[in-house]
Amino acid sequence: TVVTSSRLNALRSVYGVVVARDLMEIKASVNDPSSLIFEMDGFISNSNYNAKKTTMVLFINDRLVECTALKRAIEVVYSATLPKASKPFIYMSIVLPPEHLDVNVHPTKREVSLLNQERIIENIQTAIELKLGNSNTERTFQTQMAHPSTSVPLGPSGNSEFNPSPPGSSSQKVPVHKMVRTDSLDPSGRLHAYLQVKPVGQNEKKSGLTSVRSSVRQRRNPKETADLTSIQELISEIDQNCHSGLLDVVKHCTYIGMADEVFAVLQYNTDLYLVNVVNLSKELMYQQVLRRFAHFNAIKLSEPAPLWELIVMALKEEDLDPVCNENDDLKEKIAEMNTELLKQKAEMLEEYFCIHIDRHGN
């Protein structure tokens, strides 16, 4: 890189504009001759930077080295501070007295160890945490324009004529404002806005809605929980550990959409929250099972499903090599054993979970 160029320009030249635009300057130092002396300055990625792998460029006393303990400590800060736990980009230059540096950790002298390493790392962690906390108030999301389809019918002359309908025209069936959820109590923006529903008779519509509502209400509010002491203890444990503020957010939030495969975006009052849907679903299911224990609604299948076949299907689904038939005998034996086990527990399964298993293993 050019000698006169700044560090940021040098990083831009080597790692590209995409990395450089999401970097912020960081500094930390301690000057206490009795215990600790070091100076650190450099650049770290902000909350908008997203990478699958950590990139760390570390200079200690102007020499390019590696320090695994420091790298891991910085990754811990990022995973705790940023919602997606994305891997950071770090450029760091540390200056400390030469006698405080041990270069004989590795034969190539590339890996180093520092005197008072834990305290230096702690200081750097604190500085990064503070910097990230301040930068995490703003997020930038890349958007992509949806281009109109080019497959338009040909006109009489054989040339394709493209006349995009202006916004708000009659061809636009659902107004844009109805596609966005603005209030959790307002039906606008709910999924039915996207569906083409066939018209139904008024009476049929009313009775259908009433039955659905009552069944949902029953499922949401089971009349009584199981009278087993163990279940009551687990429920009271949940109630004692309940965070009232968080409960209020979950109860009265407005769902906006999925941010990625795991996180959903919710709005509560004027705040936006990223929620781990996987963790939330597990907790929801656990609490639902406890509260409905021994009072589940049963669904009757038109034809009873054979347990043996279901277990074999599940085992094949988990198989890494579905083409290989070597383990088929083993799968069938496992299915047989599990079917017998479930048949033995049929009485308990019916009482606790309303799962009915007949003597034929269906």
Side-chain angles (χ1 to χ4, degrees):
T1 59
V2 183
V3 178
T4 53
S5 109
S6 67
R7 276 181 179 175
L8 192 57
N9 285 337
L11 287 166
R12 190 179 288 112
S13 304
V14 178
Y15 291 98
V17 181
V18 176
V19 173
R21 75 174 175 213
D22 289 330
L23 294 182
M24 50 190 180
E25 203 169 356
I26 184 113
K27 288 179 187 287
S29 63
V30 175
N31 191 7
D32 183 359
S34 62
S35 62
L36 187 64
I37 299 173
F38 87 95
E39 265 184 48
M40 179 277 285
D41 69 312
F43 291 92
I44 58 167
S45 54
N46 62 22
S47 53
N48 294 315
Y49 180 78
N50 190 7
K52 291 178 182 174
K53 204 169 103 180
T54 302
T55 304
M56 183 165 184
V57 184
L58 175 64
F59 285 88
I60 296 182
N61 292 354
D62 292 330
R63 187 165 166 269
L64 183 64
V65 290
E66 287 175 8
C67 181
T68 311
L70 178 59
K71 185 179 177 181
R72 282 188 187 142
I74 293 171
E75 283 180 331
V76 167
V77 175
Y78 271 85
S79 63
T81 312
L82 295 189
K84 282 184 78 172
S86 54
K87 301 296 182 187
F89 177 95
I90 309 129
Y91 164 81
M92 203 167 275
S93 175
I94 298 174
V95 178
L96 48 96
E99 62 271 18
H100 291 186
L101 186 66
D102 182 5
V103 294
N104 296 316
V105 177
H106 195 269
T108 62
K109 299 188 187 294
R110 186 162 175 79
E111 179 84 23
V112 296
S113 184
L114 317 174
L115 186 73
N116 296 322
Q117 186 164 283
E118 283 183 16
R119 288 184 61 198
I120 291 172
I121 287 173
E122 199 180 317
N123 273 279
I124 291 171
Q125 269 188 315
T126 307
I128 291 174
E129 211 169 324
L130 200 66
K131 193 81 177 174
L132 277 177
N134 293 335
S135 82
N136 205 18
T137 53
E138 289 183 14
R139 298 294 305 259
T140 305
F141 293 94
Q142 300 300 322
T143 58
Q144 188 177 352
M145 292 296 289
H147 294 289
S149 171
T150 51
S151 58
V152 285
L154 294 173
S157 61
N159 297 325
S160 63
E161 290 179 13
F162 176 59
N163 295 316
S165 54
S169 68
S170 58
S171 65
Q172 197 174 358
K173 285 177 182 142
V174 183
V176 174
H177 73 274
K178 287 199 172 184
M179 293 291 196
V180 180
R181 184 78 71 86
T182 50
D183 178 8
S184 55
L185 303 173
D186 179 14
S188 295
R190 291 188 187 171
L191 283 178
H192 63 64
Y194 298 87
L195 304 174
Q196 300 296 321
V197 185
K198 290 176 187 170
V200 287
Q202 196 63 31
N203 294 342
E204 191 187 328
K205 195 175 179 181
K206 264 189 178 175
S207 63
L209 268 175
T210 311
S211 63
V212 168
R213 277 180 183 152
S214 65
S215 71
V216 168
R217 214 169 276 129
Q218 277 172 10
R219 271 187 259 154
R220 277 190 186 158
N221 314 311
K223 290 188 175 74
E224 52 184 330
T225 50
D227 51 4
L228 294 168
T229 314
S230 55
I231 296 292
Q232 295 297 348
E233 282 173 2
L234 289 169
I235 290 171
S236 66
E237 191 184 325
I238 287 170
D239 293 340
Q240 283 166 18
N241 295 331
C242 183
H243 187 289
S244 58
L246 198 56
L247 180 68
D248 202 47
V249 171
V250 175
K251 256 176 140 179
H252 302 110
C253 68
T254 304
Y255 171 74
I256 293 169
M258 293 301 292
D260 64 7
E261 295 87 349
V262 176
F263 286 92
V265 183
L266 305 177
Q267 184 180 343
Y268 173 70
N269 294 336
T270 56
D271 297 324
L272 284 177
Y273 291 87
L274 274 171
V275 179
N276 186 317
V277 178
V278 179
N279 293 350
L280 193 68
S281 303
K282 282 179 183 173
E283 186 57 36
L284 171 68
M285 289 303 133
Y286 173 65
Q287 292 194 26
Q288 292 275 35
V289 166
L290 287 184
R291 294 190 190 277
R292 296 189 202 165
F293 203 81
H295 298 287
F296 282 93
N297 291 346
I299 300 167
K300 190 171 182 179
L301 303 177
S302 53
E303 285 181 35
L307 274 175
W308 185 86
E309 281 183 37
L310 293 175
I311 295 167
V312 170
M313 278 167 66
L315 290 167
K316 284 183 177 174
E317 186 73 28
E318 287 178 0
D319 211 335
L320 296 172
D321 186 8
V323 184
C324 179
N325 298 323
E326 282 178 21
N327 298 327
D328 279 2
D329 290 345
L330 180 65
K331 289 187 189 105
E332 287 173 11
K333 278 179 188 170
I334 293 170
E336 222 166 281
M337 284 166 62
N338 281 294
T339 304
E340 283 307 310
L341 180 68
L342 290 169
K343 277 161 73 176
Q344 288 167 28
K345 308 282 181 190
E347 200 179 334
M348 183 193 74
L349 288 167
E350 180 148 32
E351 187 189 342
Y352 288 176
F353 303 107
C354 290
I355 298 169
H356 174 71
I357 295 168
D358 64 22
R359 57 195 174 86
H360 304 297
N362 297 317

